[in-house]
Amino acid sequence: MQINKNKEGTEIAEWLNSLGFSAAVLLYRTDDRDAAFSDAQRLIRLLRAHADEYQIKADKIGVIGFSAGANLAVRLSTNWRKSAYARIDEVDDISCRPDFMMPIYPWDLRPRKNPANPWHGWLKTYELDSAYPVDAETPPAFIVQSLDDFCEIETAVGLDLALTKAGVRSMAAAEAMTDLSSAEYDKDGCLADADGIVASLRRENPWLFDSGETVSSAPEYRERRAPDYSKMSDEEDYRYVDGENR
């Protein structure tokens, strides 16, 4: 696994800076998913410990990740009660719970067809794997995924439904474009529809920007008829798009 530290790291941080947000980029270890999880927990704690020095709000520290990084963001948001590493110093007495999460095309959150290999795909279900226990204390979320993503739109839908069921604020956006990881950038190197995404985020989720009450969102797919996965074989190449089997 490799980290896309520019397009999904420093460039995102610079874009957030242009909007008035502070951002830290974590270059986590990629040889071990548990090591990456430890790195993420430690970073949240370090940011909170140095909040005054960095001139940031310790109670508004969130996490954004892309693909495998989005998986890490969800893991961090659902497994924050127990430290993944031995205590180093007093910094580790600080909570590592993010105040919000932004998983972008999240990967490998649903039960796998082959538990040992995520590349074999995932079971046809909206349920999340038990490794990501969503509950009422899970941080609120903004989720984005494209309809034909290899990571599967059911992943974003499943996460959003789990959060909603737990009473957690969530906004999910399904993009029709092919492969968000290859999204078009304008001449200045910015995501073409970035301003529109931010405008929607401000409108639907003011909790990211101020201390006011959130405006809850109810994506249309929640009102649609969900497919009956029990009648489908594992070999079927299935997509649930606009409430129809295609």
Side-chain angles (χ1 to χ4, degrees):
M1 182 172 67
Q2 295 182 339
I3 293 179
N4 189 343
K5 65 179 182 180
N6 295 323
K7 186 175 177 182
E8 297 177 350
T10 55
E11 292 179 16
I12 297 297
E14 291 169 357
W15 173 60
L16 289 169
N17 290 162
S18 73
L19 299 170
F21 292 96
S22 298
V25 178
L26 173 63
L27 300 182
Y28 55 80
R29 289 170 286 178
T30 60
D31 56 337
D32 185 322
R33 293 178 73 169
D34 290 337
F37 182 45
S38 297
D39 293 343
Q41 285 191 330
R42 179 69 176 177
L43 176 62
I44 295 290
R45 290 169 169 146
L46 285 169
L47 290 173
R48 287 208 169 101
H50 295 277
D52 290 342
E53 177 186 346
Y54 298 152
Q55 298 182 23
I56 60 177
K57 296 180 178 180
D59 62 347
K60 287 192 176 181
I61 296 177
V63 57
I64 179 173
F66 299 77
S67 192
N71 175 287
L72 182 58
V74 175
R75 185 178 179 186
L76 183 62
S77 299
T78 55
N79 292 270
W80 51 271
R81 291 182 177 86
K82 184 178 180 179
S83 183
Y85 60 92
R87 185 180 185 276
I88 298 172
D89 52 32
E90 64 278 2
V91 170
D92 291 321
D93 297 329
I94 300 172
S95 174
C96 63
R97 176 189 179 275
D99 294 300
F100 61 89
M101 62 169 154
M102 300 176 70
I104 313 300
Y105 46 94
W107 176 75
D108 198 27
L109 295 179
R110 289 160 40 236
R112 301 172 181 174
K113 291 180 178 179
N114 178 352
N117 191 340
W119 300 109
H120 289 180
W122 301 272
L123 298 181
K124 296 178 176 66
T125 176
Y126 289 122
E127 297 295 323
L128 300 184
D129 189 89
S130 60
Y132 311 96
V134 171
D135 60 30
E137 293 187 273
T138 301
F142 175 69
I143 311 160
V144 179
Q145 197 144 21
S146 59
L147 293 173
D148 58 355
D149 193 344
F150 164 76
C151 299
E152 299 184 353
I153 187 63
E154 289 88 350
T155 303
V157 173
L159 176 58
D160 185 58
L161 290 175
L163 290 164
T164 301
K165 183 178 180 180
V168 177
R169 294 170 293 193
S170 175
M171 175 182 177
E175 300 291 333
M177 65 187 299
T178 301
D179 189 4
L180 280 171
S181 63
S182 301
E184 292 186 3
Y185 286 73
D186 64 21
K187 60 182 178 62
D188 296 319
C190 297
L191 189 64
D193 192 35
D195 291 340
I197 292 174
V198 173
S200 175
L201 196 57
R202 282 185 182 275
R203 182 178 63 254
E204 300 287 346
N205 295 272
W207 49 270
L208 282 176
F209 302 90
D210 54 44
S211 59
E213 290 296 318
T214 187
V215 178
S216 60
S217 174
E220 291 182 1
Y221 61 71
R222 292 186 190 145
E223 299 177 0
R224 296 173 179 161
R225 177 182 54 81
D228 185 354
Y229 285 115
S230 65
K231 298 180 180 179
M232 298 163 53
S233 68
D234 288 341
E235 289 73 28
E236 284 182 280
D237 182 14
Y238 182 90
R239 290 294 181 271
Y240 180 56
V241 181
D242 293 336
E244 297 181 7
N245 297 358
R246 295 185 179 181

